């Protein structure tokens, strides 16, 4: 049919009374509407009238024509409504641009309509309010019940709550019957108000979306349906999609089901991924996870590892213990391997409180107390002598009865290391079950994971001592800031490796540490020996407090640092040492020792929620000491981490307003932020109150609360709030932390951070620029992201020293474990760091940051990365808390050690059913150089300048030969044969490297040989790299970077098969040949020995003969004891190095000039 050139005649037919002519005109217009819609748009009223005429037989066709005209006019809302009224004439299968646009509009409207009728916030609010009410009523009595119901924070509560939270979605308005909800509902131009649609249009909309879902099911595109269901908050559709996927696998038969099992697993991973990383509302996330949990439990062979992720987030410890008991009761090798792997995953993602509850619900075993409470550990106050025991005998007698009562009535928080067995617990029915339960508990206590990490870091350490020596030689040790920076570099380089030989080899340097430098150096032992549970308290014996009656008490700074170090060794695993730390903390009146003890208690008792520890810390806080107050406030938050404890928040807010010490206020602000860790909307009232406070230290805490409450959520409103404060607050400190907090909120989307802070990095305010550098380092840590590096490189030359410091630290965090194959800039950056640390003209603050950066970039012997989320995708609580407290080094240097909590060992270690490490190999489908260690840097020591020998070029030799030949001819000696003069060479009889002609000839020969197909010269390393084979074998317990995991595979016909896809860390292996003998890896960390080391006073310190493993690995710690435990003397006449000059921040006028 010939296309229309004009629609004037057809438009005229629309005015005819004959319905046949009108129908003919509509059909022709519908066919050619794209070319004649401009003429038809003037008569759109007539076509609408035909649609509204119920007696007109082609009214649906009229609706379609009107829809297409409105589509051309970009009135998509009206176009969708008329398209839905077009009935069978609107065919979504045609796939044209018009159909796709209308279909997209239908989906948006469907999402808004479903979200309007499926609110999720009331459930989460009710649950939160009920918890607050119960706890509040218990704490303060029924008088304040109303206040507790209205707000989780009494000091900021009013008679009526504000109508809208600053950070939560507009929940109060979103679910009103008169307003649209969810998605883009109510946004002008987005899609029509759902309630304005007629019932007929809504029915048609449901039919269109349903047909879309059916087509997705037929094609196996379940992800699209899942995405729409999640955004629409429609749990019924989500349930249907998952069940249809499961039924589809079953209907394909056994062979197809085996092949399709991966597809179903991928779908569940996809649902969990969008639930954790895309969904921002906590209530909706809980609903989805609960639905997944119910569905997984109904499947005959459920995905236990997906269930584990759900139960940890939902805090359903009973379901976790039931799942473990079922697997143990099955008794077969594969079920036990799955149970052990689940235990590893639960330990990696759960808190101490959660794990303790799970273990208490498992069957009781005879060796429980022996496992939990090592001999003499529970009663150990300190490494005591006989005189100590006599002096403290009276105290022990007086406290024996109270300690016995406490041990019997201990709550679930695990404040002591004694576990009281319940008489109602079932007993294992067989020896095999008893052994399995014991193994599960061993794993969930973290002992096995920590042991594997310690072994890997020790045997694989590749730290470059030359770099550390370069830092030591470049920085003047008499300046405390420089001495401390070398301590941090050493601690980070050898974090978790138990290699402390640097202290042993540099006792003279170590002896220059005084006061807080001594505190920091002692605490560094905790970073180096982190996870050394068997020897941790033993190696710190010379430093720990000996008790008030001991006359040989050493430096209070080394004692406080040793308590801090003890907490770091038992990070998030403080069952064995919390009793000792608490007693040491209560028995001392030294503020420095209390400071270290508080930090140690906080790190070791992290997230236990123990109120007894909290009360002990609070009593010391009320002494109003600025020295220990900051540490105590932080420790209170660490103990109550993530609990949202109302009473704790009330106490801390009240005292923050009462005290006059800024350090205490700052410590309490950090503590409150930690209490609201990952609480999201539940923290909004606290955030609003803190941000409205006049004290900038409390506003600082409010921003830090945003960072920790919404960490990893990517919340748009949290980001909007941070950006607003970053450019509006009057305090530089608050603006700095606001920009920095963007890294915490967005670390799951590192690619979006450079674009967001690009303008902030060019701010006139140096504090904002510093915050931008740290935000990049936090969010992009370990990624080697080019965009972030491009922003940070110019900031290494910033005019303000602390901005350069932040840029250096952030670059190291981003470049950790990067090599030239992954990022070519890493070599240049490493060289620049080494150059800056030795630059005599560089500012002290920049040098400090440079030294820390050199330690971070080689963290854990180059075997650790910085990961704020676990290998399974959950939030890494330890790492996030460690990073957050590390950023406070701006105010207090000892907090720098907290960064070690963010270090995650990157390895794959296979463990069999006996929890032993078998010797086997797995495959990595990459080139060996792709993820290899970076080459060791050659650090040249400063030497006296040597006279350079004159280089003699070949052209000079040729000129001399010509001159000699000419002289012979002139003398008439041309008939004699003289030897050819040779080019003078330096000693060694080697060809001079400056001989240009020789090099040219060699290069040409090398090219000819390659052209002839012969072997290339030995020095052609680039050619060898090109011929490097893809794919190589790795031994068990090998370094595997996060980006390398997707290339790792286990041999299909091998003896050991993993029970789940490798994710890094411990992997349980199912032994397909259990009756065959197996070879095990030799554990090196337990067998290492160290020779005696001399101390500063000439005495020999070393392991006694036959001391055994308890003394191994502590050579550096023992050698340093004689130096660090000495009491500092105030020597007025002593010479001290000049302090570094204070940095000057340029004024606006100077910068503009």
């Amino acid at each position: 049919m010939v296309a229309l050139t004009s629609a004037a005649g057809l438009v005229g037919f629309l005015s005819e009374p004959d319905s046949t002519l009108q129908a003919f005109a509509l059909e022709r217009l519908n066919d050619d509407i794209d070319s004649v819609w401009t003429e038809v748009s003037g008569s759109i009223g007539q076509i609408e009238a035909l649609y509204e005429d119920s007696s007109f037989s082609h009214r649906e066709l009229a609706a379609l024509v009107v829809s297409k005209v409105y589509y051309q006019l970009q009135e998509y809302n009206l176009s969708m409504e008329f398209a839905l009224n077009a009935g069978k004439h609107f065919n979504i299968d045609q796939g044209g641009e018009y159909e796709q646009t209308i279909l997209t509009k239908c989906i948006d409207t469907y999402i808004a309509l479903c979200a309007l009728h499926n609110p999720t916030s009331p459930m989460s609010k009710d649950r939160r309010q009920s918890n607050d009410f119960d706890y509040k009523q218990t704490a303060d009595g029924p008088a304040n019940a109303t206040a507790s119901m209205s707000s989780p924070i009494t000091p900021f509560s009013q008679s009526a709550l504000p109508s809208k939270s600053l950070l939560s979605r507009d929940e109060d308005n979103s679910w009103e019957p008169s307003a649209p909800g969810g998605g883009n509902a109510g946004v002008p131009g987005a899609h029509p108000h759902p309630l304005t649609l007629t019932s007929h249009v809504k029915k048609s909309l449901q039919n269109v979306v349903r047909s879309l879902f059916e087509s997705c099911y037929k094609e196996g595109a379940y992800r699209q349906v899942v995405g729409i269901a999640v955004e629409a908050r429609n749990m019924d559709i989500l349930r249907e999609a998952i069940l249809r996927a499961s039924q589809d696998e079953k209907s394909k038969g056994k062979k197809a089901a085996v092949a399709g099992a991966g597809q179903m697993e991928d779908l569940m991973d996809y649902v969990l991924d969008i639930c954790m990383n895309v969904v921002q509302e906590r209530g909706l996330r809980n609903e989805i996870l609960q639905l997944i949990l119910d569905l997984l439990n109904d499947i005959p062979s459920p995905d236990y590892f997906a269930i584990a992720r759900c139960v940890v987030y939902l805090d359903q410890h009973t379901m976790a213990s039931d799942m473990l008991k079922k697997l143990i009761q099955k008794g077969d090798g594969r079920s036990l391997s799955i149970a052990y792997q689940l235990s590893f995953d639960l330990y990696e993602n759960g808190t101490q409180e959660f794990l303790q509850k799970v273990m208490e619900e498992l069957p009781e075993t005879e060796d429980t107390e022996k496992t939990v409470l090592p001999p003499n550990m529970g009663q150990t106050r300190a490494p005591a002598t006989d005189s100590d025991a006599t002096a403290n005998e009276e105290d022990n007698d007086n406290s024996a009865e109270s300690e016995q009562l406490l041990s019997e009535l201990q709550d679930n928080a695990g404040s002591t290391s004694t576990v009281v067995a319940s008489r109602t617990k079932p007993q294992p029915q067989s020896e095999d079950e008893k052994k399995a339960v014991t193994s599960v508990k061993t794993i969930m206590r973290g002992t096995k994971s920590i042991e594997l990490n310690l072994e890997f870091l020790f045997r694989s350490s590749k730290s470059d001592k030359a770099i550390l020596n370069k830092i030591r030689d470049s920085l003047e040790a008499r300046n405390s800031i420089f001495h401390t920076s070398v301590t941090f570099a050493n601690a980070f380089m050898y974090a978790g490796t138990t290699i402390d030989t640097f202290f042993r080899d540099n006792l003279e340097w170590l002896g220059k540490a005084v006061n807080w430098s001594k505190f920091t150096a002692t605490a560094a032992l905790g970073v180096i020996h982190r996870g050394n549970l068997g020897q941790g308290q033993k190696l710190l014996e010379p430093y720990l407090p000996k008790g008030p009656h001991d006359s040989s008490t050493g430096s209070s700074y080394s004692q406080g640092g040793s308590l801090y170090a003890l907490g770091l060794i038992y990070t998030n695993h403080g069952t064995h040492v919390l009793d000792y730390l608490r007693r040491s903390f209560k028995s001392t009146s030294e503020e420095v020792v209390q400071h270290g003890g508080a930090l140690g208690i906080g790190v070791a008792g992290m997230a236990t929620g123990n109120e007894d520890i909290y009360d002990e810390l609070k009593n010391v806080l009320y002494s109003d000491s600025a020295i220990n107050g900051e540490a105590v406030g932080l420790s209170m938050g660490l103990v109550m981490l993530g609990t949202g404890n109302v009473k704790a928040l009330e106490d801390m807010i009240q005292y923050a307003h009462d005290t006059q010490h800024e350090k205490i206020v700052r410590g309490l602000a950090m503590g409150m932020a930690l209490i609201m860790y990952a609480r999201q909307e539940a923290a909004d009232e606290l955030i609003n109150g803190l941000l409205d406070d006049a004290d900038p230290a409390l506003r600082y805490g409010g921003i830090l609360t945003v960072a920790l409450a919404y960490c990893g959520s990517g919340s748009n409103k949290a980001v909007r709030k941070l950006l607003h404060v970053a450019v509006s607050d009057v305090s530089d400190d608050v603006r700095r932390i606001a920009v920095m907090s963007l890294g915490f909120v967005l670390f799951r989307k590192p690619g979006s951070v450079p674009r967001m802070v690009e303008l902030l990095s060019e701010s006139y305010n140096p504090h904002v620029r510093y915050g931008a550098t740290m935000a990049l380092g936090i969010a992009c840590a370990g990624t080697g992201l080019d965009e972030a590096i491009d922003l940070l490189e110019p900031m290494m030359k910033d005019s303000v020293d602390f901005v350069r410091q932040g840029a250096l630290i952030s670059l190291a965090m981003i470049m950790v474990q990067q090599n030239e194959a992954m990022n070519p800039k890493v070599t240049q950056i490493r060289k620049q760091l080494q150059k800056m640390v030795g630059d005599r003209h560089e500012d002290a603050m920049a040098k400090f940051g440079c030294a820390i950066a050199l330690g971070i970039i080689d963290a854990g012997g180059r075997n650790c990365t910085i990961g704020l989320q676990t290998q399974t995708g959950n939030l890494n609580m330890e790492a996030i808390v460690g990073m957050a407290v590390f950023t406070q080094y701006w105010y207090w240097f000892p907090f720098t050690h907290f960064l070690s909590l963010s270090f995650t060992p990157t390895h794959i270690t296979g463990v069999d059913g006996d929890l032993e490490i078998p010797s086997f190999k797995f495959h990595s489908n990459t080139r060996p150089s792709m993820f290899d260690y970076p080459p060791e840097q050659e650090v040249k020591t400063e030497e006296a300048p040597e006279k350079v020998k004159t280089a003699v070029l070949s052209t000079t030799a040729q000129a001399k030969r010509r001159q000699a030949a000419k002289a012979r001819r002139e003398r008439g000696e041309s008939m004699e044969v003289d030897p050819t003069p040779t080019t003078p060479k330096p000693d060694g009889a080697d060809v001079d490297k400056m001989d240009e002609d020789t090099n040219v000839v060699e290069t040409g020969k090398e090219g000819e040989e390659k052209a002839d197909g012969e072997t290339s010269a030995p020095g052609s390393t680039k050619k060898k790299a090109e011929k490097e084979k893809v794919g190589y074998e790795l031994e068990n317990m090998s370094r595997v970077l996060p980006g390398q995991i997707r290339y790792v595979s286990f041999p299909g016909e091998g003896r050991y098969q993993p029970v789940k896809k490798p994710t890094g860390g411990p992997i349980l292996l199912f032994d397909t040949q259990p009756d065959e003998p197996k070879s095990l890896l030799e554990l090196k960390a337990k067998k290492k020995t160290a020779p005696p080391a001399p101390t500063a006073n000439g005495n020999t310190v070393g392991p006694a003969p036959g001391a055994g493993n308890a003394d191994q690995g502590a050579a550096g710690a023992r050698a340093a004891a004689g130096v660090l435990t000495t009491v500092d003397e105030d020597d007025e006449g002593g010479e001290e190095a000049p302090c570094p000059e204070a940095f000057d921040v340029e004024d606006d006028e100077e910068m503009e000039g």
Side-chain angles (χ1 to χ4, degrees):
M1 185 179 294
V2 180
L4 290 175
T5 57
S6 175
L10 293 174
V11 170
F13 284 166
L14 297 176
S15 303
E16 296 291 331
D18 189 353
S19 60
T20 305
L21 290 176
Q22 293 172 337
F24 171 76
L26 290 172
E27 289 177 356
R28 291 299 309 276
L29 289 175
N30 180 52
D31 293 337
D32 296 309
I33 193 67
D34 291 340
S35 58
V36 299
W37 67 270
T38 52
E39 298 179 66
V40 179
S41 61
S43 304
I44 196 170
Q46 287 181 284
I47 307 176
E48 285 190 34
L50 291 176
Y51 161 70
E52 294 171 358
D53 184 3
S54 58
S55 61
F56 183 55
S57 59
H58 290 72
R59 59 191 303 268
E60 291 183 348
L61 180 60
L64 183 63
V65 174
V66 173
S67 173
K68 290 185 176 181
V69 174
Y70 277 128
Y71 165 75
Q72 297 291 349
L73 293 171
Q74 298 185 5
E75 292 287 345
Y76 300 125
N77 297 335
L78 292 173
S79 178
M80 183 201 68
E81 289 189 50
F82 280 102
L84 292 174
N85 285 315
K88 62 182 180 181
H89 292 282
F90 177 60
N91 184 8
I92 63 173
D93 296 329
Q94 289 185 359
E97 183 179 351
Y98 162 73
E99 286 78 12
Q100 291 295 326
T101 304
I102 299 304
L103 187 59
T104 302
K105 206 67 183 174
C106 288
I107 294 173
D108 287 343
T109 307
Y110 172 80
I111 289 172
L113 195 61
C114 288
L116 177 64
H117 297 293
N118 294 288
T120 60
S121 57
M123 180 195 68
S124 61
K125 279 187 175 181
D126 291 343
R127 182 171 63 249
R128 186 171 71 244
Q129 288 178 358
S130 64
N131 291 342
D132 292 338
F133 171 72
D134 291 340
Y135 190 89
K136 183 71 177 177
Q137 201 168 18
T138 304
D140 294 340
N144 292 332
T146 305
S148 68
M149 292 177 63
S150 62
S151 170
I153 309 302
T154 300
F156 296 133
S157 300
Q158 307 296 334
S159 57
L161 281 175
S163 60
K164 188 185 300 182
S165 172
L166 288 177
L167 290 176
S168 61
R169 292 199 173 208
D170 299 337
E171 295 169 352
D172 296 330
N173 296 330
S174 296
W175 316 120
E176 291 290 333
S178 60
N184 294 323
V187 179
H191 42 260
H193 196 302
L195 297 179
T196 62
L197 301 177
T198 64
S199 59
H200 176 70
V201 172
K202 289 180 181 179
K203 185 177 180 180
S204 300
L205 178 64
Q206 293 281 355
N207 293 335
V208 168
V209 175
R210 172 54 58 183
S211 62
L212 175 65
F213 288 165
E214 291 297 332
S215 63
C216 289
Y217 292 150
K218 290 179 182 179
E219 297 175 3
Y222 298 104
R223 290 192 176 192
Q224 284 79 348
V225 181
V226 166
I228 294 174
V230 170
E231 193 170 355
R233 307 169 185 266
N234 194 326
M235 298 298 106
D236 294 333
I237 296 297
L238 181 59
R239 180 190 299 272
E240 176 189 298
I242 296 174
L243 291 176
R244 286 288 291 267
S246 178
Q247 293 170 3
D248 185 45
E249 286 183 359
K250 294 179 182 178
S251 63
K252 292 179 180 178
K254 293 184 178 179
K255 293 183 179 180
V258 174
Q263 297 178 1
M264 181 62 185
E265 187 177 345
D266 289 343
L267 178 63
M268 295 306 302
D269 289 342
Y270 175 73
V271 176
L272 286 171
D273 182 61
I274 63 173
C275 183
M276 294 294 187
N277 300 331
V278 178
V279 176
Q280 296 181 4
E281 295 87 346
R282 197 180 185 193
L284 176 60
R285 183 182 296 128
N286 289 347
E287 277 194 36
I288 297 173
L289 289 175
Q290 189 62 53
L291 172 64
I292 296 172
L293 208 53
D294 296 339
L295 290 174
L296 289 173
N297 287 327
D298 294 339
I299 298 174
S301 56
D303 184 354
Y304 291 105
F305 307 110
I307 294 176
R309 293 182 63 185
C310 296
V311 297
V312 170
Y313 187 86
L314 296 174
D315 198 25
Q316 296 193 4
H317 51 85
T318 302
M319 185 171 292
S321 60
D322 291 342
M323 183 169 55
L324 289 172
K325 284 186 282 190
K326 288 179 182 178
L327 289 168
I328 292 173
Q329 289 171 0
K330 288 183 179 180
D332 60 288
R334 183 170 291 277
S335 296
L336 291 178
S337 297
I338 293 175
Y340 297 157
Q341 184 67 64
L342 281 176
S343 302
F344 277 116
D345 290 352
L346 290 174
Y347 171 74
E348 184 182 19
N349 299 308
T351 63
Q352 289 191 65
E353 185 178 12
F354 176 84
L355 297 171
Q356 184 72 21
K357 291 177 180 178
V358 174
M359 286 189 288
E360 288 178 356
E361 294 176 357
L362 293 175
E364 189 60 54
T365 55
E366 294 178 358
D367 58 345
T368 298
E369 292 193 10
K370 295 180 182 178
T371 307
V372 178
L373 189 62
N376 300 326
M377 184 68 76
Q379 290 77 26
T380 302
R381 286 178 176 269
T385 61
D386 294 338
S387 60
D388 297 334
T390 304
N392 294 332
E393 184 176 356
E394 183 178 354
D395 294 339
N396 291 338
D397 292 340
N398 294 336
S399 61
E401 184 177 356
S402 60
E403 288 183 359
Q404 181 180 358
L405 291 174
L406 284 175
S407 64
E408 293 175 354
L409 301 176
Q410 206 47 238
D411 59 5
N412 292 339
S415 63
T416 68
S417 55
T418 304
V419 175
V420 182
S422 173
R423 295 181 180 179
T424 60
K425 288 185 179 181
Q427 296 293 328
Q429 298 179 358
S430 64
E431 290 297 325
D432 291 339
E433 281 192 23
K434 184 183 298 185
K435 179 183 176 183
V437 172
T438 303
S439 298
V440 166
K441 290 184 177 181
T442 301
I443 296 171
M444 294 186 66
R445 291 189 189 100
T447 308
K448 196 64 185 179
S449 295
I450 294 172
E451 178 188 333
L452 294 176
N453 288 336
L454 192 72
E455 174 67 24
F456 164 71
L457 291 175
F458 173 70
R459 70 191 299 151
S460 303
S461 177
K462 299 289 184 182
S463 293
D464 194 345
K465 290 184 179 180
I467 296 177
L468 197 56
N469 292 332
K470 169 75 173 178
I471 301 173
R472 178 204 61 200
D473 296 338
S474 302
L475 302 179
E476 174 55 58
R478 289 181 299 163
N479 278 337
S480 61
I481 183 174
F482 290 153
H483 195 285
T484 302
S485 64
V486 178
T487 300
F488 290 139
N490 173 46
F492 291 157
M493 276 191 188
Y494 292 98
T497 63
T498 72
I499 301 173
D500 54 14
T501 54
F502 181 78
F503 286 154
R504 169 192 175 89
D505 298 336
N506 295 276
L507 293 176
E508 182 181 355
W509 167 86
L510 192 61
K512 297 180 181 179
V514 294
N515 299 336
W516 289 106
S517 295
K518 185 174 292 186
F519 177 94
T520 305
T522 309
L525 293 172
V527 178
I528 295 171
H529 290 272
R530 183 185 169 203
N532 194 356
L533 305 182
Q535 308 167 21
Q537 196 164 4
K538 184 72 175 177
L539 68 91
L540 289 175
E541 277 187 8
Y543 306 90
L544 291 169
K546 304 298 190 299
H549 302 284
D550 191 348
S551 59
S552 62
T553 301
S555 170
S556 60
Y557 291 97
S558 65
Q559 292 179 6
S562 66
L563 293 176
Y564 184 15
L566 191 61
L568 289 169
I569 290 175
Y570 291 87
T571 298
N572 199 22
H573 192 268
T575 309
H576 297 159
V577 296
L578 272 176
D579 285 341
Y580 171 72
L581 286 170
R582 290 170 62 184
R583 284 194 291 267
S584 299
F585 179 71
K586 290 188 295 183
S587 63
T588 183
S589 58
E590 285 281 350
E591 293 181 337
V592 177
V593 180
Q594 287 180 336
H595 182 95
L599 292 177
I601 290 173
V603 179
M606 186 185 300
T608 56
N610 190 301
E611 295 201 24
D612 293 336
I613 298 178
Y614 169 80
D615 290 337
E616 293 169 4
L617 293 168
K618 184 173 66 174
N619 293 335
V620 176
L621 175 71
Y622 288 164
S623 65
D624 202 42
S625 166
I627 293 179
N628 59 36
E630 184 174 19
V632 169
L634 173 63
S635 182
M636 291 163 69
L638 288 170
V639 172
M640 291 294 177
L641 178 65
T643 61
N645 190 301
V646 179
K647 175 128 185 353
L649 290 168
E650 289 175 356
D651 295 340
M652 296 168 79
I653 291 171
Q654 185 63 44
Y655 195 76
H657 285 113
D658 293 343
T659 186
Q660 301 297 318
H661 295 292
E662 183 183 353
K663 288 174 70 68
I664 296 180
V665 176
R666 195 162 49 241
L668 291 170
M670 286 189 290
M672 287 186 283
L674 291 168
I675 291 176
M676 283 300 180
Y677 165 79
R679 303 283 294 179
Q680 295 193 6
E681 292 88 354
D684 286 350
E685 289 300 325
L686 174 64
I687 293 169
N688 295 340
L690 291 176
L691 291 182
D692 290 340
D693 200 282
D695 189 347
L698 286 178
R699 294 202 306 276
Y700 185 101
I703 292 298
L704 199 58
T705 307
V706 177
L708 291 176
Y710 288 87
C711 57
S713 67
S715 171
N716 293 330
K717 290 202 171 183
V719 171
R720 192 178 303 121
K721 187 66 181 176
L722 293 174
L723 289 174
H724 173 71
V725 174
V727 297
S728 63
D729 200 278
V730 295
S731 169
D732 285 337
D733 288 345
V734 179
R735 297 178 68 177
R736 183 179 66 249
I737 191 64
V739 182
M740 201 183 303
S741 298
L742 292 171
F744 287 100
V745 178
L746 297 171
F747 70 78
R748 279 178 165 159
K749 304 173 183 176
S752 63
V753 178
R755 187 170 61 253
M756 186 171 295
V757 302
E758 183 175 3
L759 292 178
L760 295 172
S761 66
E762 300 174 359
S763 170
Y764 72 93
N765 190 324
H767 292 269
V768 174
R769 298 201 301 273
Y770 173 86
T773 64
M774 294 303 293
L776 290 168
I778 293 167
C780 306
T783 62
L785 196 66
D786 291 331
E787 293 83 353
I789 296 169
D790 292 340
L791 281 179
L792 289 171
E793 280 183 321
M795 302 182 79
M796 295 170 68
K797 302 176 182 178
D798 195 276
S799 59
V800 180
D801 52 1
F802 63 79
V803 178
R804 296 197 298 275
Q805 178 192 92
L808 294 168
I809 294 175
S810 297
L811 270 175
M813 292 164 66
I814 295 172
M815 284 297 194
V816 64
Q817 285 199 323
Q818 300 286 311
N819 59 18
E820 284 193 355
M822 300 166 69
N823 195 311
K825 291 185 178 181
V826 66
T827 303
Q828 176 188 351
I829 290 175
R830 283 178 176 271
K831 289 181 179 178
Q832 192 164 357
L833 289 174
Q834 293 179 22
K835 179 182 177 182
M836 289 183 67
V837 78
D839 188 353
R840 299 177 182 274
H841 304 289
E842 187 59 77
D843 291 319
M845 296 300 294
K847 283 188 175 182
F848 176 84
C850 195
I852 293 179
L854 284 168
I856 294 173
I857 203 168
D858 288 338
R862 299 184 175 180
N863 291 307
C864 287
T865 188
I866 297 176
L868 300 188
Q869 57 182 339
T870 63
Q871 300 281 7
T872 54
N874 286 14
L875 296 178
N876 188 341
M877 181 188 71
E878 278 186 40
I880 294 171
V881 171
M883 182 66 74
V885 181
F886 162 72
T887 59
Q888 307 308 307
Y889 82 88
W890 178 278
Y891 302 103
W892 191 234
F893 283 159
F895 288 156
T896 308
H897 284 314
F898 270 83
L899 183 62
S900 62
L901 274 63
S902 300
F903 294 164
T904 304
T906 53
H907 65 104
I908 286 182
T909 300
V911 181
D912 63 9
D914 297 326
L915 300 186
E916 295 176 330
I917 308 172
S919 177
F920 77 102
K921 295 184 179 181
F922 53 91
H923 185 74
S924 177
N925 193 29
T926 60
R927 292 183 175 88
S929 61
M930 184 70 173
F931 297 101
D932 198 8
Y933 289 100
E936 291 191 4
Q937 300 294 317
E938 295 182 2
V939 181
K940 297 181 180 179
T941 57
E942 295 183 3
E943 299 176 354
E946 296 181 359
K947 186 176 180 181
V948 180
K949 297 180 180 180
T950 305
V952 181
L953 301 178
S954 58
T955 53
T956 305
Q958 292 175 0
K960 289 182 178 180
R961 286 196 294 270
R962 287 195 296 269
Q963 291 177 0
K966 183 178 180 182
R968 284 195 298 271
R969 286 195 298 271
E970 290 176 354
R971 293 194 304 266
E973 300 174 353
S974 58
M975 295 301 294
E976 299 179 3
V977 179
D978 293 340
T980 304
T982 57
T983 304
K985 298 174 184 176
D987 296 338
D990 293 330
V991 179
D992 197 301
K993 295 181 179 179
M994 295 295 292
D995 195 326
E996 299 293 341
D997 286 353
T998 305
N999 289 340
V1000 172
V1001 172
E1002 289 178 355
T1003 305
K1005 290 180 180 178
E1006 183 179 312
E1008 292 174 3
E1009 290 175 357
K1010 293 172 184 174
D1012 296 338
E1014 298 179 4
T1015 306
S1016 60
S1020 57
T1021 55
K1022 293 184 179 180
K1023 293 295 180 182
K1024 285 186 177 180
E1026 292 177 3
K1027 295 180 181 179
E1028 191 177 14
K1029 293 182 179 180
V1030 176
Y1032 62 103
E1033 301 298 317
L1034 287 169
E1035 291 284 349
N1036 192 16
M1037 192 174 272
S1038 291
R1039 176 180 184 261
V1040 178
L1041 303 189
Q1044 187 180 1
I1045 290 177
R1046 62 177 179 269
Y1047 301 108
V1048 169
S1049 61
F1050 287 74
E1053 302 299 329
R1055 174 176 177 178
Y1056 297 101
Q1057 297 297 322
V1059 297
K1060 73 167 188 175
K1061 291 190 301 184
T1063 55
I1067 297 291
L1068 254 294
L1069 304 172
F1070 176 64
D1071 190 353
T1072 59
Q1073 303 170 12
D1075 298 331
E1076 298 292 328
K1078 59 183 178 182
S1079 60
L1080 304 176
L1081 286 183
E1082 181 183 4
L1083 299 182
K1084 298 180 180 180
K1086 289 185 176 181
K1087 295 188 176 183
K1088 69 172 185 174
T1089 57
T1095 60
N1097 55 12
N1099 296 330
T1100 299
V1101 179
N1109 291 341
D1111 284 333
Q1112 294 168 6
R1118 284 190 298 269
V1123 178
L1124 293 178
T1125 56
T1126 57
V1127 180
D1128 299 325
E1129 298 180 1
D1130 296 331
D1131 187 3
E1132 296 180 359
E1135 181 182 359
E1136 185 174 341
C1139 296
E1141 296 181 0
F1143 57 83
D1144 296 325
V1145 179
E1146 299 180 1
D1147 296 330
D1148 295 343
E1149 293 80 10
E1150 295 177 2
M1151 296 184 70
E1152 291 175 0

